[in-house]
């Protein structure tokens, strides 16, 4: 049996926290400074974390290896299965030419690329985050942006930056639910406070997206639309999380943003639209040529019948419908009844207090987001009349394209589990919790670190929620505020998570350039983190204490 310790270095928590930070430092330096490919950076950081777990924390070698396998296995349903099927759906629509129809349809709302990015990456991406979470919004938004003519690198960066404010309430507010369970604090109160923090970030993100696409010129040209989108999203998220339903906060915010922005565009247009040449459809041979011929015909014609427009939107309407139906209590219960759970072999771990640490592996396949996307993909093949052989070929090509991305995800999830179960992550969180009154500023940083490691706000809340409450009690701060800050800080850590970077790079065809993407988004991640940290600090004082419920 292995018992976690959080101060193995000379009994000093501060020194232990510094040592525990080394794997993360290795990961980010290899990505951002040396520009290593994500899979090699992830494997290197994993090796360092395993070495520290054994040599510093005293974790047995067998348990360390088993922990890495536990983390890698957990990545299948939570990341890999989602990514493969999300990209498959896109390739199905692309190969038939219907994604070109969708692209032209979006141009009908606005032919300005800067506004299209707000609609797709911010509003539509938030809706996907509300229903599915994980990597779904990044994967689907990025490929849609490419189809609209955005360069692959910008599409990847924009999709990552856009996937911020909705994260705390993703998958029908599962992160807030987890936070409530691990802290024992009221679910509604936590959601209300998080909504009063992330809604501030939401008001800024559309302006950031416009800047990413077209720099200062773009901000000057379309700031009214960006402000309307941000205010509408922020107001929707605030109202739903505080007065209507925490679970529906992202859905309300996404719909509010879309409705108000579309209405605003009926009375306002930028003086000069930013348009680019559409990306042509590229499809390989299928043997029959029928699907590709139809795709080429649709692309050349540039004239979209009502039927083709409906078919272009249907795959994504099906995705939304499938996820909504899967949340019905009776269906959710039925799907969950087939879950397989077992204790992961080779692990026997207790916490610092002697309480057993759960190491149960849950294979809940049917309600998994990736499974629901696979079902949506099968329906898409039927609607778009893609021959089964061609659909299978596209699926195989998709898996092959993602080979190195899958290696990256496996290594990073293994890294997260080794750090978590050995006690390294606990050392980091508890080290920051010793900062006294200044902890209010650094509280969101803990959530940011948690999401950067695990790629999940839900996991970060599970890891650090109780730490936040303990630190709040020791420093005289509000436990509700500090716990909510963990989730709010985590939302801006999502864009630098290696899992998110790997997904974004893979779907836009930039495998191996994860380091370049990281160097671009880290600036925005740190800037937004500083904003949230300052907001939480001021909310802990009379200056902005009035913002709290």
């Amino acid at each position: 049996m292995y018992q976690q310790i959080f101060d193995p270095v000379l009994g000093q928590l501060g020194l232990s926290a510094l040592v525990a930070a080394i794997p993360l430092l290795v990961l980010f330096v290899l990505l951002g400074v040396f520009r290593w490919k994500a899979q090699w950076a992830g494997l290197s950081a994993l090796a360092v974390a395993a070495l520290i777990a054994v040599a510093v924390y005293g974790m047995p070698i067998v348990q360390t290896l088993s922990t890495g396998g536990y983390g890698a296995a957990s990545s299948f349903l939570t990341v890999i299965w989602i990514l493969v099927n999300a990209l498959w759906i896109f390739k199905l629509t692309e190969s038939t030419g219907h994604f070109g129809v969708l692209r032209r349809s979006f141009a009908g709302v606005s032919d300005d690329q800067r506004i299209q990015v707000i609609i797709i990456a911010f509003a539509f991406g938030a809706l996907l985050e509300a229903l599915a979470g994980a990597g779904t919004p990044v994967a689907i938004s990025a490929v849609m942006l490419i189809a609209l003519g955005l360069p692959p690198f910008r599409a990847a960066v924009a999709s990552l930056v856009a996937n911020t404010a909705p994260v705390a309430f993703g998958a029908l507010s599962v992160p807030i639910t987890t936070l409530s369970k691990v802290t024992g604090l009221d679910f509604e109160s936590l959601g209300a406070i998080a909504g009063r923090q992330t809604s501030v970030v939401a008001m800024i993100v559309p302006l950031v997206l416009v800047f990413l696409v077209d720099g200062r010129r773009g901000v000057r040209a379309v700031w009214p639309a960006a402000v309307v989108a941000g205010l509408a999203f922020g107001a929707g998220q605030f109202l739903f999380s505080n007065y209507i339903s925490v679970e529906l906060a992202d859905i309300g915010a996404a719909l509010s943003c879309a409705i108000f922005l579309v209405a605003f565009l009926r009375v306002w247009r930028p003086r000069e639209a930013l348009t680019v040449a559409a990306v042509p459809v590229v499809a390989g041979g299928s043997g029959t040529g029928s699907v590709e011929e139809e795709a080429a015909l649709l692309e050349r014609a540039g004239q979209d019948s009502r039927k083709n427009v409906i078919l272009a939107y249907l795959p994504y309407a099906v995705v939304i419908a499938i996820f909504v139906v899967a949340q019905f209590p009776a269906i959710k219960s039925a799907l969950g009844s087939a879950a397989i759970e077992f204790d992961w072999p080779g692990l026997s771990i207790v916490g610092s207090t002697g309480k057993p640490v759960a190491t149960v592996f849950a294979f809940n396949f049917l309600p998994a987001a990736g499974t629901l996307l696979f079902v949506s993909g099968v329906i898409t093949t039927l609607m778009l009349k893609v021959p089964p052989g061609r659909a299978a070929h596209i699926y195989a090509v998709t898996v092959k394209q993602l080979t190195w991305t899958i290696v990256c995800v496996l290594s990073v999830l293994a890294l997260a589990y080794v750090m978590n179960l050995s006690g390294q992550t606990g050392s980091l969180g508890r080290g920051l919790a010793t900062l006294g009154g200044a902890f209010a500023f650094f509280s969101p940083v803990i959530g940011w670190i948690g999401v950067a490691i695990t790629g999940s706000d839900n996991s970060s809340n599970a890891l650090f929620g109780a730490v936040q409450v303990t630190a709040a009690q020791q420093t005289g701060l509000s436990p509700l505020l500090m716990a909510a800050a963990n989730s709010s800080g985590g939302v801006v850590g999502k864009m630098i998570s290696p899992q998110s970077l790997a997904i974004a790079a893979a779907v836009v065809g930039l495998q191996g350039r994860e380091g370049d993407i990281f160097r671009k988004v880290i600036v925005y991640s740190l800037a937004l983190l500083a904003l949230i940290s300052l907001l939480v600090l001021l909310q802990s004082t009379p200056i902005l204490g009035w913002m709290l419920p």
Side-chain angles (χ1 to χ4, degrees):
M1 181 176 291
Y2 170 69
Q3 183 168 12
Q4 292 176 334
I5 52 175
F6 303 120
D7 56 354
V9 183
L10 302 177
Q12 298 294 316
L13 185 57
L15 290 175
S16 301
L18 290 175
V19 172
I22 292 176
L24 293 182
L25 184 63
V26 169
L27 178 65
F28 292 146
V29 168
L30 291 179
L31 278 174
V33 179
F34 295 101
R35 302 186 182 185
W36 280 27
K37 293 184 178 181
Q39 64 268 20
W40 304 124
L43 289 170
S44 299
L46 171 60
V48 172
L51 180 62
I52 292 174
V54 174
V56 179
Y57 284 77
M59 192 177 201
I61 295 177
V62 172
Q63 293 219 44
T64 302
L65 295 175
S66 183
T67 298
Y70 182 26
S74 71
S75 70
F76 175 72
L77 286 183
T78 57
V79 182
I80 295 170
W81 186 228
I82 292 171
L83 176 58
V84 169
N85 291 303
L87 188 55
W88 179 48
I89 291 174
F90 166 73
K91 286 184 173 294
L92 287 171
T93 60
E94 183 188 46
S95 70
T96 59
H98 287 93
F99 209 97
V101 177
L102 184 66
R103 177 188 62 224
R104 293 188 288 273
S105 177
F106 272 113
V109 177
S110 174
D111 59 353
D112 192 294
Q113 193 178 54
R114 298 160 297 197
I115 295 175
Q116 292 172 346
V117 169
I118 296 174
I119 295 172
I120 294 172
F122 188 61
F124 183 61
L127 186 60
L128 292 174
E129 180 68 37
L131 297 171
T136 308
V138 172
I140 292 181
S141 296
V143 292
M144 292 180 75
L145 292 178
I146 285 182
L148 289 170
L150 205 67
F153 187 84
R154 287 187 183 179
V157 172
S159 65
L160 287 167
V161 172
N163 190 220
T164 50
V167 169
F169 300 97
L172 299 181
S173 294
V174 167
I176 303 297
T177 301
T178 298
L179 188 62
S180 177
K181 289 181 179 178
V182 300
T183 61
L185 299 176
D186 180 64
F187 170 77
E188 300 291 341
S189 298
L190 289 170
I193 295 176
R196 296 173 190 230
Q197 295 167 347
T198 57
S199 59
V200 175
V201 175
M203 292 188 288
I204 299 173
V205 171
L207 287 168
V208 176
L209 292 175
V210 170
F211 180 78
L212 283 171
V213 174
D214 196 30
R216 294 180 180 178
R217 180 187 67 173
V219 174
R220 289 194 298 267
V222 300
W223 69 263
V227 169
V228 167
L231 288 175
F233 188 100
Q237 193 175 66
F238 169 78
L239 291 173
F240 271 79
S241 63
N242 279 266
Y243 303 111
I244 301 175
S245 168
V246 175
E247 292 90 341
L248 300 179
D250 275 351
I251 294 178
L255 294 179
S256 173
C257 177
I259 291 171
F260 276 91
L261 181 57
V262 170
F264 180 70
L265 291 174
R266 290 183 177 274
V267 298
W268 178 90
R269 295 278 178 174
R271 291 182 179 179
E272 184 177 349
L274 177 67
T275 58
V276 295
V279 175
V281 172
V282 179
S286 65
T288 63
S290 58
V291 174
E292 286 74 20
E293 289 171 4
E294 180 186 355
L297 181 62
L298 285 171
E299 188 70 24
R300 286 195 301 269
Q303 299 176 352
D304 306 317
S305 66
R306 178 175 297 180
K307 175 184 176 182
N308 284 333
V309 171
I310 293 174
L311 286 174
Y313 277 95
L314 270 179
Y316 299 95
V318 168
V319 170
I320 294 172
I322 292 291
F323 276 97
V324 169
V325 171
Q327 297 301 324
F328 291 167
I331 295 178
K332 188 174 183 178
S333 176
L335 293 175
S337 64
I340 300 174
E341 295 185 353
F342 57 89
D343 291 325
W344 188 260
L347 291 183
S348 180
I349 302 174
V350 295
S352 59
T353 61
K355 183 179 179 181
V357 174
T359 54
V360 175
F361 182 78
F363 191 74
N364 201 5
F365 183 74
L366 292 181
T371 303
L372 300 181
L373 284 171
F374 177 75
V375 172
S376 302
V378 172
I379 295 174
T380 296
T381 64
L382 298 176
M383 292 189 307
L384 302 185
K385 298 181 180 179
V386 180
R390 177 59 181 163
H393 173 72
I394 293 173
Y395 199 96
V397 170
T398 301
V399 173
K400 183 178 180 180
Q401 176 184 338
L402 296 175
T403 299
W404 285 113
T405 301
I406 292 172
V407 173
C408 171
V409 171
L410 291 172
S411 64
V412 171
L413 264 294
L415 165 68
Y417 273 65
V418 169
M419 291 189 66
N420 295 344
L421 294 182
S422 67
Q424 294 173 63
T425 303
S427 295
L428 280 171
R430 285 164 174 79
L432 287 173
T434 62
L435 297 173
F439 178 69
F441 181 85
F442 291 98
S443 176
V445 177
I446 295 178
W448 180 81
I449 292 173
V451 176
I453 296 172
T454 65
S456 165
D457 199 46
N458 182 51
S459 297
S460 177
N461 287 345
L463 284 173
F464 293 129
V467 174
Q468 296 274 12
V469 171
T470 300
Q473 292 169 343
Q474 293 174 351
T475 55
L477 297 167
S478 165
L480 277 169
L481 176 60
M482 296 302 100
N486 192 83
S487 196
S488 299
V491 305
V492 294
K494 184 88 169 180
M495 68 179 80
I496 64 166
S497 166
Q499 296 96 301
S500 297
L501 293 171
I503 289 172
V507 297
V508 301
L510 294 178
Q511 293 98 325
R513 293 192 61 190
E514 293 87 356
D516 293 334
I517 298 173
F518 171 81
R519 287 162 61 89
K520 185 71 173 180
V521 299
I522 185 65
V523 176
Y524 299 102
S525 179
L526 291 174
L528 292 173
L529 175 62
L531 172 64
I532 292 177
S533 293
L534 180 61
L535 177 63
V536 172
L537 175 63
L538 295 177
Q539 286 179 333
S540 70
T541 70
I543 298 176
L544 290 182
W546 53 267
M547 288 184 65
L548 303 180

